[in-house]
């Protein structure tokens, strides 16, 4: 894929030549830096062109788009391979000087120049062939040169306003050109218009470049002011069938319709992924007799993709849904159609369905054009729309809006729908269907459209078993959904989201993915550009949220504060994703278990992302054209040997038990992400020689404790270090200012302010207290415990977890102090008092508290007023607790309470009955009286559930 190849190339240039850890002297010369920046501008412009063409804003020529993507892809892949190969040769010299080093430096410089020239030539050839391309290049260069590199210019004499106005007008001009192409106007006239626009754009770009050169020549001279005045550019600027499993959805929507809303026009949005049944639900509601009698008039419009949207066509379709076709005048102008719509809907309570809204742009267009025709309707009128995209619908921020998110069918509903399509009796199911029942439910993954398609195909098969095997193969490898519908969603994604979407192909189908891992991988791959005043992790989370809002991802679990914790891609979308990525030569998913003679080594030059997992996909491999940058192992494979000279990501699933590292480690110099289940000696050299390493995870747990070398702290860009409880490392000798996450085994003597002050920007700290020194050497178990330091000096800390190993002679300080910004706190095995609980209760931002065998008192009844003001989730494991008194001013925001092993506690505090937001109580291994007390509270409150997961035996 061209978008992936360009993103990767841009990130490589920025990190290796312009970043803080650039390792070549090229980055020290102003002339070379200027050339590299110019190269980056051209690469960014190519990105913009790709986005414009693939989103439907270009010429609309599919063959042209394919050729454009192929040309850019081949250029970007080759350029990055050539640059990184020369760069690795230079780095592996290890700072040597002499003729060999000079030769490597010269080859690297020459390779960069050739790549930059190729990018320039590619842009020149593209803009000469299209007015819209020429305009896009002009807009991109204006944005780059004037808004980024000339702040002293754009900030003076109103130039900023002028440049913004000019850029806006250029974008408007491009939009008008697109509209003219889609109109019925003369082709010759459009050709003349395109020629004029292209000539204007080319001349303007030339003028800009001349003025830019004048400015650069005048820099640091007395002529700077004169050159700045010229840059104001005064020369050219001017201001089917029975519905199954969806009855609840229909009931909820009809209830909303009958409520009457709160405005003149109310909006209901049905949101869900492709094939989930949005249109089916909307149609069922639309045709319901009670709905038909409630509204005076109803209309239905199916909205096409943005590039095919047409106001006249939309209004005609609306009229046709409520009026005989012959009544509508042929050849009516848009104004005449508007008048007819006003006449049909004016003074009436109406329901209009806008089916298949695919983008914000389409919604805003349809909304404004519908509103202009039906604003004279009665109060209680509704617009019901179906869309895959969850976005803000309220243009004027005054409308009553209800968002209805559709979910997948459960196993029972899935099988009921399957049987309904085949007209078979569930209670007397034939053995031939019983054998495939579980497989059908699993593979269709709760998506109605897949279930219907599978059932229809099986209905035509004489041999159900053989027929299912063929369908299953197609379902798993290609998917059965309409690829055109999926392509529309994919092509409408902005460039950066396309790359993120394709990346899900590296994970096995139906794999639950931890968001924190996904975020770190996307950062390592260079999918996100840093913004001022916003952390990279926050930006990437926004990307993930956007994919979720577009119904391209499924949320599996949320954390207590509502953030996405784990997610996955639906199996149907995953098939499409893998197919697109493999055909583009970006991904190769290798199943070495399926083909015993298949080795990863055979695919080392076939793709950028190489992943080993079980699947039944076909292989699309372009051998000898690609060098992998990322390798993922989800299968154990004794032949996992891959030469990784240019690797930036190496990840092993936590389920894999490694006996040796399956790659050569000596040549790794570009590594940014390393996740492995066991430490090997060679990793010491790898970590030391990769200054751009951002994430290091060693997940091994168990005994004995392994001491890791202090060189693990060497990478200056290290942001996340997570070590399993089998590994211990001494504290760093220097400050680690970039470190945000630290999970490690640590001796109590190292839990000191002088140690943790070396992590000034730490946000997530997980400590497992452990000491490998024999107790007899420190005075035995009867000696005074080692008291840890307070944590309040870690001002940026948001999450803290402290676990105390059994028999360890260490303790938290009395009434331990924590940072005021702490949001999550977990204490396990520590011995805290009521006084400590009072301190914790006063933390103003604490949302999650887990006390696992941390409080050993029998009574807890002294809690300061207003304690735990924003706590959402509270887990309490207290085996000795007998009496718990809570006032009504405590836990006011609590939603989830979990009590574990509270063997002596018999009564839930009465105040929990009056906590307004409480949703659930979970009980694990608690006294039967406590279970009964909780159920009584449930009956009084009628909140969602009381879960007795491991109840105390009945007495």
């Amino acid at each position: 894929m061209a978008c992936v190849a360009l993103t990767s190339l841009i990130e490589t240039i920025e990190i290796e030549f312009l970043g803080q850890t650039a390792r070549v002297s090229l980055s020290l010369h102003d002339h070379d830096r200027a050339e590299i920046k110019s190269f980056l501008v051209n690469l960014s412009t190519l990105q913009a062109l790709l986005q414009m063409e693939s989103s439907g804003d270009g010429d609309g020529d599919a063959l042209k788009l394919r050729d454009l993507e192929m040309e850019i892809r081949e250029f970007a892949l080759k350029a990055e391979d050539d640059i990184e190969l020369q760069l690795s040769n230079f780095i592996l010299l290890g700072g040597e000087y002499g003729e060999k080093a000079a030769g490597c430096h010269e080859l690297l410089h020459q390779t960069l120049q050739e790549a930059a020239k190729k990018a320039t030539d590619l842009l020149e050839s593209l803009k000469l062939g299209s007015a819209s391309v020429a305009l896009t290049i002009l807009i991109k260069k204006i944005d780059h040169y004037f808004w980024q590199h000339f702040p002293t210019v754009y900030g003076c004499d109103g130039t900023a306003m002028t440049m913004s106005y000019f850029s806006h007008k250029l974008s408007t001009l491009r939009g008008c050109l697109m509209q003219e192409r889609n109109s019925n106007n003369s082709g010759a006239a459009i050709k003349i218009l395109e020629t004029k626009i292209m000539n204007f754009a080319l001349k303007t770009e030339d003028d800009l470049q001349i003025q830019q050169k004048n400015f650069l020549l005048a820099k640091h001279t007395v002529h700077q002011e004169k050159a700045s005045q010229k840059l104001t550019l005064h020369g050219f600027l001017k201001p089917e069938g029975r519905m199954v499993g969806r009855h609840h959805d229909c009931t909820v929507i009809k209830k909303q319709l009958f409520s009457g809303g709160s405005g003149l026009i109310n909006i209901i949005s049905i949101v869900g992924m492709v094939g989930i049944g949005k249109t089916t639900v909307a149609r069922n509601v639309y045709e319901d007799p009670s709905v038909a009698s409630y509204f005076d008039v109803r209309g239905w419009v199916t909205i096409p993709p943005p590039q095919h949207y047409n106001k006249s066509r939309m209004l005609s379709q609306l009229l046709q849904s409520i009026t005989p076709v012959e009544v509508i005048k042929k050849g009516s102008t848009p104004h005449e159609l508007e008048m007819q719509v006003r006449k049909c809907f004016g003074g009436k309570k109406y329901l209009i369905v806008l089916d298949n809204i695919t983008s914000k742009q389409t919604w805003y267009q349809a909304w404004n054009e519908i509103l202009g025709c039906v604003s004279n309707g009665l109060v209680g009128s509704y617009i019901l729309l179906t869309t895959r995209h969850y976005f803000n619908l309220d243009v004027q921020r005054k409308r009553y809006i209800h968002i209805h998110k559709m979910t997948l069918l459960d196993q029972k509903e899935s099988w009921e729908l399957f049987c309904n399509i085949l007209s078979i009796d569930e209670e007397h199911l034939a053995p031939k269907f019983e054998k495939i029942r579980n497989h059908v439910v699993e593979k269709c993954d709760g998506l109605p459209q897949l279930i219907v398609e599978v059932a229809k195909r099986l209905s035509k098969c004489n041999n159900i078993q053989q027929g299912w095997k063929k369908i299953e193969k197609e379902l798993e490898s290609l998917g059965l959904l309409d690829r055109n519908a999926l392509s529309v969603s994919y092509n409408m994604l902005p460039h950066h989201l396309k790359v993120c979407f394709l990346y899900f192909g590296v994970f096995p189908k139906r794999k639950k993915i931890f968001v924190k891992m996904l975020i770190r991988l996307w950062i390592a791959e260079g999918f996100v550009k840093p913004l001022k005043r916003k952390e990279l992790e926050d930006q990437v989370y926004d990307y993930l949220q956007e994919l979720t809002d577009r119904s391209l991802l499924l949320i599996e679990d949320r954390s207590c504060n509502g953030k996405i914790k784990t997610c996955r891609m639906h199996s149907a979308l995953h098939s499409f994703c893998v197919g697109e990525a493999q055909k583009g030569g970006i991904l190769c998913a290798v199943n070495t278990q399926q083909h015993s003679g298949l080795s990863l080594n055979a695919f080392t030059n076939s793709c950028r992302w190489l992943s080993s997992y079980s699947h039944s996909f076909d292989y699309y491999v372009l051998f000898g054209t690609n060098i992998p940058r990322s390798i993922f192992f989800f299968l154990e494979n004794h032949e996992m040997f891959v030469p990784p000279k240019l690797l930036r990501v190496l990840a092993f699933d936590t389920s894999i038990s490694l006996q040796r590292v399956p790659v050569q480690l000596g040549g790794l110099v570009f590594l940014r992400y390393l996740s492995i289940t066991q430490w090997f000696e060679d990793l010491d050299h790898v970590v030391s020689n990769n200054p751009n390493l951002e994430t290091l995870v060693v997940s091994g747990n168990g005994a004995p404790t392994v001491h890791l070398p202090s060189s693990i702290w060497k990478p200056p860009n290290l942001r996340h270090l997570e070590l399993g409880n089998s590994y211990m490392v001494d504290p760093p000798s220097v400050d680690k200012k970039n470190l945000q996450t630290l999970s490690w085994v640590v001796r109590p003597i190292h839990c000191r302010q002088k140690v943790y002050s070396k992590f000034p920007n730490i946000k997530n700290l997980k400590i497992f207290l452990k000491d490998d020194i024999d107790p007899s050497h420190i005075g035995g178990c009867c000696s005074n415990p080692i008291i840890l330091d307070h944590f309040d000096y870690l001002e940026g800390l948001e999450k803290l977890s402290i676990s105390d190993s059994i028999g360890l002679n260490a303790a938290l300080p009395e009434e331990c102090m924590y940072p005021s910004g702490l949001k999550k706190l977990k204490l396990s095995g520590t011995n805290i008092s009521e006084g400590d609980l009072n301190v914790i209760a006063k933390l103003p931002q604490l949302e999650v508290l887990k006390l696992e065998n941390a409080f050993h008192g029998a009574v807890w009844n002294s809690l300061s007023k207003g304690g735990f003001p924003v706590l959402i989730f509270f887990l309490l494991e207290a085996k000795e607790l007998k009496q718990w008194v809570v006032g009504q001013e405590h836990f006011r925001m609590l939603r989830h309470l979990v009590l574990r092993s509270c063997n002596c506690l018999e009564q839930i505090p009465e105040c929990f009955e009056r906590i307004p937001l409480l949703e659930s109580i979970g009980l694990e291994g608690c006294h039967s009286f406590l279970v009964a007390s909780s159920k009584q509270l449930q009956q009084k409150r009628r909140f969602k559930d009381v879960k007795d997961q491991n109840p105390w035996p009945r007495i």
Side-chain angles (χ1 to χ4, degrees), residues 211-223:
Q211 298 296 344
Q212 177 213 350
K213 290 178 181 178
N214 291 340
F215 181 85
L216 292 175
L217 288 173
K219 195 176 181 181
H220 305 306
T221 71
V222 294
H223 301 294

Side-chain angles (χ1 to χ4, degrees), residues 352-390:
I352 297 176
V353 177
L354 301 180
D355 185 34
N356 194 38
I357 296 286
T358 56
S359 69
K360 292 180 185 179
Q361 173 190 346
T362 306
W363 162 246
Y364 294 149
Q365 276 187 283
W367 166 256
N368 288 323
E369 290 164 0
I370 288 282
L371 185 63
C373 302
V374 300
S375 57
N376 58 342
L378 293 181
V379 172
S381 296
Y382 271 90
I383 290 180
L384 175 65
L385 61 109
T386 70
T387 179
R388 303 169 204 166
H389 196 169
Y390 177 87

Side-chain angles (χ1 to χ4, degrees), residues 1-8 47 50 69 490 495 498-499 502:
M1 286 300 190
C3 59
V4 178
L6 272 176
T7 299
S8 182
Q47 273 188 328
L50 269 179
E69 286 201 340
Y490 172 71
H495 172 87
K498 278 186 181 177
V499 181
L502 293 176

